[in-house]
Amino acid sequence: MGTVPTGVRGLDVLMEGGFPRGSTIMVEGAPGTGKTTLGMQFLYHGAAMDGEAGIYVTFEEFPDQLYRDMLALGWDLRKLEAEGLLRVISMSPDIFLEQIIDPGGLVEKLIREIDCKRVVIDSISLFRYGAADEEGHRRMLYRLRNILRRMDLTSLLIKERGTTREETGFEAYIADGFIQLQLKQQMDKYRVRTLEILKMRGRRIREGEHVYRLTDDGIRLIPARSMIEDLALLNGQEKVPTGIGVLDELLEGGFAQESVYLLDTNSKANYKYLIASVLANRVRAGDKVLALLSSFLTPQDLNKMLALQGLSMSEMAQEDRIFFIEHYTRPYPKDCEPNVMDVSGLDNLAYRRIVQEKIGTLVEGSGNWFIYYDLNTVIAERGKDYATKYFAEDSAGVKALGMTMMVLCNFSEIGPEVSAFLERTCNGVIRTWVDGAYQYMQVIKSPNGVISEPYVVETTAQAPFMRLI
Ligand SMILES: Nc1ncnc2c1ncn2[C@@H]1O[C@H](COP(=O)(O)OP(=O)(O)O)[C@@H](O)[C@H]1O
Ligand SMILES: [Mg+2]
């Protein structure tokens, strides 16, 4: 049985990668808990990211509001409809049932027309009124489940939960999966949204109530900590600390080996301390470093930053523990010159060949490597097309050679599409930005599924010279 990613950050890790393909999942929650958002997020990501067409069935008479709400989340449903990747069907529950039960009916025609893989029905609660009695209601749901299953559609059946606690026994029983969304009152003051997977056929699920947020780009889930610790133990991946306390806690020990991390910064944010701390910790853990610096972080800057961390760049170079790829003609600190690969005059083709060759011979059988890669520089010097064309390939290569990489990039300069692509390609993404008088830092993606709140970055007098609060 295949797996269908949910499109919701943090949710897939709770059930071994996503929904089982072809399964019928019940999503239950009170009004306003985010069921519609979850359903649309599932379809939108399926269509936009995985090229899987979806159908959204709504029993609202005029779904205009739905289009507007989703557009506010950045999801242009009309565009997907034009591309044949989405259909929003608005009809009465009775007609829908009539049509889906009919083998040559409207619904089946639509499904074939767009080669539909995912379906969301919002909501099945309205079926209740069409059925003669409870028994008829059950039989009808059972039939619907069988039809969806037969067509190998991965489906979300949304169920409204009223204020009174109704029986959920039967629906939970016939569905392959059951997800409950709740809005909980905590300590009188706070309300927190929680998601719990009560059932997922054929999957080991991560139990418990996991907190989620409704954000400007949909639902984000923050898996409960106990579960994250399990995961870290499970994959037993070696980690090297970044040296920033809170960040290492969030990343369950630091950067994982053979992974690519992206640091998204804007020009005002000070990211140099973070880079210096990460580099220093890697060097102490025995890694060798290959650095591609920018015009904003010069070799002299790095030299100073490492010195503040108690490391001598000259010594590292003499011991062949640090190498550089250099796009600019500029001086290097003492003893570093022999380890500088000057690529300033090279066209893209020659650059690519030489860098690959050189890295290959450097890295082969010589221990662990850490690459610091300023993607802004590559974009500025080699063009955006070059940078994006080879990024996925290069990160795969980096991982295959057992290396770990930190990539610096400014998402706001490269546009949302390239940013989304980079985010998908990297194992972890850390964002830092300045807003008003404060700098913030946030983990927005990590291999262990953690996403964090924004933390305020405070400068401190001693190494690592920054602290997250
Ligand atoms: N960007 C956002 N940030 C916070 N809350 C939001 C955002 N967008 C929508 N919401 C909230 O999400 C809820 C609507 O979610 P919806 O998916 O329609 O829930 P349901 O279908 O369960 O009724 C509303 O309470 C709305 O205020
Ligand atoms: Mg709704």
Side-chain angles (χ1 to χ4, degrees), residues 232-252:
L233 285 176
L234 267 180
N235 58 26
Q237 222 172 12
E238 243 181 275
K239 300 270 177 76
V240 175
T242 63
I244 315 292
V246 170
L247 195 57
D248 286 332
E249 272 171 43
L250 291 168
L251 298 171
E252 299 298 335

Side-chain angles (χ1 to χ4, degrees), residues 29-38 73 122 160 193 214-216:
T33 47
K35 302 180 295 299
T36 297
T37 310
L38 179 76
L73 296 169
D122 192 358
E160 296 292 340
R193 296 174 192 275
L214 284 158
T215 72
D216 289 344

Side-chain angles (χ1 to χ4, degrees), residues 1-105:
M1 204 184 240
T3 296
V4 183
T6 62
V8 177
R9 277 198 198 163
L11 180 56
D12 292 346
V13 293
L14 300 184
M15 45 180 167
E16 299 185 278
F19 298 132
R21 185 168 291 283
S23 59
T24 307
I25 318 293
M26 195 75 68
V27 178
E28 188 202 61
T33 47
K35 302 180 295 299
T36 297
T37 310
L38 179 76
M40 261 311 174
Q41 195 162 344
F42 172 63
L43 294 185
Y44 186 86
H45 278 257
M49 305 295 175
D50 304 326
E52 290 194 356
I55 292 182
Y56 186 87
V57 182
T58 172
F59 301 131
E60 299 277 344
E61 217 170 324
F62 303 104
D64 301 38
Q65 186 65 40
L66 179 73
Y67 285 88
R68 276 197 296 274
D69 289 350
M70 297 304 127
L71 203 55
L73 296 169
W75 306 337
D76 190 343
L77 306 185
R78 302 220 188 265
K79 182 162 170 269
L80 287 184
E81 287 189 301
E83 289 166 357
L85 285 166
L86 179 76
R87 289 284 179 271
V88 175
I89 319 185
S90 157
M91 53 172 73
S92 82
D94 293 350
I95 295 177
F96 171 74
L97 285 174
E98 213 176 280
Q99 290 296 330
I100 197 166
I101 283 165
D102 178 4

Side-chain angles (χ1 to χ4, degrees), residues 9-265:
R9 277 198 198 163
L11 180 56
D12 292 346
V13 293
L14 300 184
M15 45 180 167
E16 299 185 278
F19 298 132
R21 185 168 291 283
S23 59
T24 307
I25 318 293
M26 195 75 68
V27 178
E28 188 202 61
T33 47
K35 302 180 295 299
T36 297
T37 310
L38 179 76
M40 261 311 174
Q41 195 162 344
F42 172 63
L43 294 185
Y44 186 86
H45 278 257
M49 305 295 175
D50 304 326
E52 290 194 356
I55 292 182
Y56 186 87
V57 182
T58 172
F59 301 131
E60 299 277 344
E61 217 170 324
F62 303 104
D64 301 38
Q65 186 65 40
L66 179 73
Y67 285 88
R68 276 197 296 274
D69 289 350
M70 297 304 127
L71 203 55
L73 296 169
W75 306 337
D76 190 343
L77 306 185
R78 302 220 188 265
K79 182 162 170 269
L80 287 184
E81 287 189 301
E83 289 166 357
L85 285 166
L86 179 76
R87 289 284 179 271
V88 175
I89 319 185
S90 157
M91 53 172 73
S92 82
D94 293 350
I95 295 177
F96 171 74
L97 285 174
E98 213 176 280
Q99 290 296 330
I100 197 166
I101 283 165
D102 178 4
L106 195 65
V107 177
E108 193 163 336
K109 274 207 195 98
L110 261 183
I111 285 167
R112 303 221 181 286
E113 194 182 298
I114 62 166
D115 188 21
C116 179
K117 304 278 191 232
R118 307 178 180 205
V119 167
V120 174
I121 301 177
D122 192 358
S123 70
I124 63 158
S125 303
L126 290 168
F127 291 158
R128 191 169 286 259
Y129 307 108
D133 52 17
E134 190 59 18
E135 177 59 26
H137 174 67
R138 288 179 179 199
R139 225 175 314 126
M140 189 273 307
L141 276 182
Y142 197 69
R143 204 162 164 193
L144 177 64
R145 198 259 343 244
N146 287 345
I147 292 168
L148 295 169
R149 194 182 270 177
R150 200 183 60 232
M151 294 197 274
D152 204 28
L153 296 166
T154 310
S155 324
L156 300 189
L157 307 188
I158 291 174
K159 184 170 183 281
E160 296 292 340
R161 170 177 222 135
T163 39
T164 56
R165 271 186 88 91
E166 306 155 57
E167 265 287 10
T168 52
F170 180 70
E171 279 100 338
Y173 171 75
I174 65 153
D176 301 302
F178 194 89
I179 294 177
Q180 201 166 49
L181 304 180
Q182 281 182 282
L183 197 56
K184 292 203 158 166
Q185 194 73 27
Q186 263 194 354
M187 302 186 292
D188 294 336
K189 280 196 193 120
Y190 306 101
R191 290 212 296 175
V192 37
R193 296 174 192 275
T194 64
L195 178 151
E196 186 171 15
I197 303 177
L198 295 167
K199 168 182 176 181
M200 197 57 60
R201 193 163 286 159
R203 289 291 147 94
R204 200 156 39 110
I205 49 179
R206 306 276 160 184
E207 287 169 3
E209 294 176 358
H210 305 278
V211 171
Y212 68 93
R213 297 236 180 90
L214 284 158
T215 72
D216 289 344
D217 46 11
I219 293 179
R220 287 183 181 202
L221 193 104
I222 303 146
R225 289 202 74 76
S226 60
M227 177 226 134
I228 295 306
E229 276 149 23
D230 289 352
L231 268 188
L233 285 176
L234 267 180
N235 58 26
Q237 222 172 12
E238 243 181 275
K239 300 270 177 76
V240 175
T242 63
I244 315 292
V246 170
L247 195 57
D248 286 332
E249 272 171 43
L250 291 168
L251 298 171
E252 299 298 335
F255 283 179
Q257 297 290 82
E258 298 179 22
S259 305
V260 176
Y261 289 82
L262 200 140
L263 179 62
D264 168 26
T265 71

